[in-house]
Amino acid sequence: MPKSFYVKSKQMDKKKQIYIIGSLRNEKIPYIAKELRKLGFKVFDDWFSPGPEADEFWRKYEKVRGSTYKEALNNPAAKHVFEFDKEHINESQIGVLIMPAGKSGHLELGYMIGQGKPCFIFFDKEPERWDVMYQFATAVCFSYDELKEELLKLKV
């Protein structure tokens, strides 16, 4: 498909886009994304498709090649994945971090907050370890209904 078509079709879609942030190991990601689509948002969660072991496979592959972590970060596979995710983060107007999530998810959340975008953290239960820095987020939600209520305020 020509890139110009892709750009034009994205510009015509007026729905706000949510970038789902989370762990490749969190099986709830596509189900929560599906529910958010029902609210009328465009939702980006395509990063989830490689599966729960994608990072481990990448690491093993780079180790076989003899790469250090620093070298691997600069190799084409890592650059491609990073640019793919970053492009979609930049295109999105809203971020939702679905817990539990690791370092990458927290970096993505911080990047979006730093751009001034509304970002939400969704826990499905109270965490064992509390953290005061989650106050950087627009809201911290502990139920899907609470998250839904917060997001619907942004649809207007």
Side-chain angles (χ1 to χ4, degrees):
M1 185 172 306
K3 188 173 183 171
S4 61
F5 175 79
Y6 178 67
V7 172
K8 286 178 186 173
S9 65
K10 285 195 310 187
Q11 291 169 345
M12 290 170 47
D13 189 354
K14 299 293 184 199
K15 289 182 184 178
K16 288 188 178 179
Q17 180 167 294
I18 296 172
Y19 186 88
I20 298 292
I21 305 167
S23 170
L24 286 167
R25 294 185 180 133
N26 188 342
E27 296 175 357
K28 296 176 185 174
I29 298 286
Y31 299 101
I32 294 170
K34 183 178 179 180
E35 291 302 312
L36 296 178
R37 284 184 189 94
K38 291 178 184 176
L39 300 178
F41 290 98
K42 188 174 174 187
V43 179
F44 186 84
D45 63 336
D46 293 37
W47 56 264
F48 187 78
S49 65
E53 296 177 346
D55 291 337
E56 288 81 15
F57 284 129
W58 168 67
R59 182 182 178 277
K60 287 176 188 176
Y61 169 73
E62 289 292 351
K63 286 288 191 180
V64 168
R65 293 179 73 189
S67 301
T68 64
Y69 182 39
K70 185 174 184 174
E71 291 167 340
L73 286 172
N74 287 298
N75 285 343
K79 289 288 186 191
H80 176 74
V81 171
F82 174 78
E83 291 300 331
F84 175 81
D85 288 351
K86 186 175 176 231
E87 175 186 347
H88 294 285
I89 290 169
N90 288 340
E91 288 175 354
S92 298
Q93 295 79 40
I94 303 164
V96 174
L97 174 65
I98 299 173
M99 297 298 288
K103 296 176 279 199
S104 291
H106 286 79
L107 284 166
E108 290 172 350
L109 180 76
Y111 178 73
M112 291 187 82
I113 290 171
Q115 291 179 323
K117 296 176 180 182
C119 290
F120 303 87
I121 301 169
F122 175 49
F123 289 94
D124 61 357
K125 63 183 179 193
E126 190 167 293
E128 289 181 28
R129 185 167 180 222
W130 293 7
D131 194 314
V132 299
M133 300 313 283
Y134 285 134
Q135 294 178 86
F136 276 118
T138 305
V140 179
C141 305
F142 290 90
S143 72
Y144 176 74
D145 288 338
E146 187 180 0
L147 177 63
K148 175 182 170 181
E149 182 180 324
E150 291 291 336
L151 289 170
L152 288 175
K153 292 177 189 176
L154 299 176
K155 251 187 106 178
V156 194

